[in-house]
Amino acid sequence: MGFYWVDDDGWIFLPALWGDADEASVRKALGGRLAVTAVRRCRHREARAVGFLDKMKGRGAWVFGWYGAGAPDVQAAADGGDLTVNWPLLGAVRAHGRGVHLSVQGEPMPSAELSLAAVNDQQTAHILFCALAPGFPEIIPAGSPKSEPSAALFRSGSDDTKNPTWYVFWESSAGTRVLPLYMISFRPTQRYKRTGSPPPHDKGS
């Protein structure tokens, strides 16, 4: 899966489609509660993309996930900046450690709810569709104060190895293990019911 090209300033421009995500599949995953207003590619310095690909050497399957946070944080990451830890938007009781949380590819709503928690109903929120290099993850229970791996063997975390909702990456390694690909902008529709904090996500809904 090659990149298109690198410009004179060292920015990498990514292929038109990674994984199974296109605008139609995103709209379907958001379930009509959120209206997609724009989809654009992210960009990165060559060194960051090369570092990510180095972590993927020897890996057969690509893993993807969704990152949600306040609009300025998402936009900064889409333009080549670092991912901001977003666990405070979940709260200490619901967060799985003090890392960067990304919901799994088929479940964008948990991350979308984090982004919506940081804006009002008149503002546009954003989420990032990202390629991930999780390595060997460890289980991190909700409410854990963990901010680093338990052992060198573990490269990331998860709430459940068999049926996860969240991937968790530590701030120290997220820059080379998470590569944002697309930024999706959206607003809530009348079907979306805002609560004081992001509600627990029901996979069966």
Side-chain angles (χ1 to χ4, degrees):
M1 189 178 297
F3 292 115
Y4 273 179
W5 49 277
V6 182
D7 70 11
D8 292 339
D9 294 324
W11 290 104
I12 275 190
F13 287 75
L14 301 170
L17 179 64
W18 289 56
D20 300 322
D22 55 21
E23 188 169 348
S25 64
V26 171
R27 289 181 185 277
K28 182 177 180 181
L30 296 179
R33 289 182 289 171
L34 306 174
V36 175
T37 59
V39 178
R40 75 168 177 89
R41 297 182 198 175
C42 301
R43 61 179 189 167
H44 308 280
R45 292 294 183 188
E46 184 178 6
R48 180 171 185 172
V50 169
F52 175 83
L53 291 175
D54 184 64
K55 296 291 190 297
M56 291 299 296
K57 285 181 178 178
R59 306 286 178 182
W62 289 76
V63 179
F64 300 93
W66 300 91
Y67 170 78
D73 293 331
V74 176
Q75 290 173 310
D79 289 330
D82 293 329
L83 293 169
T84 301
V85 290
N86 55 358
W87 70 264
L89 291 171
L90 276 167
V93 174
R94 293 177 53 211
H96 297 265
R98 302 297 193 258
V100 176
H101 287 58
L102 297 98
S103 58
V104 298
Q105 178 176 354
E107 300 285 349
M109 280 304 300
S111 290
E113 288 164 350
L114 296 186
S115 296
L116 284 168
V119 300
N120 61 45
D121 291 338
Q122 283 70 48
Q123 294 175 311
T124 298
H126 315 282
I127 51 175
L128 299 178
F129 179 67
C130 305
L132 310 177
F136 191 75
E138 63 178 308
I139 296 295
I140 304 174
S144 170
K146 186 186 295 291
S147 60
E148 58 185 21
S150 299
L153 171 68
F154 301 119
R155 304 301 183 185
S156 63
S158 177
D159 61 326
D160 188 320
T161 54
K162 294 183 178 180
N163 189 30
T165 294
W166 295 108
Y167 300 116
V168 181
F169 292 84
W170 308 119
E171 189 174 13
S172 59
S173 62
T176 55
R177 292 194 172 273
V178 180
L179 189 69
L181 303 177
Y182 295 97
M183 185 176 78
I184 293 85
S185 303
F186 61 92
R187 290 186 177 182
T189 67
Q190 292 181 346
R191 291 181 58 188
Y192 181 79
K193 294 182 179 179
R194 179 182 292 275
T195 59
S197 60
H201 186 65
D202 182 1
K203 293 183 180 181
S205 61

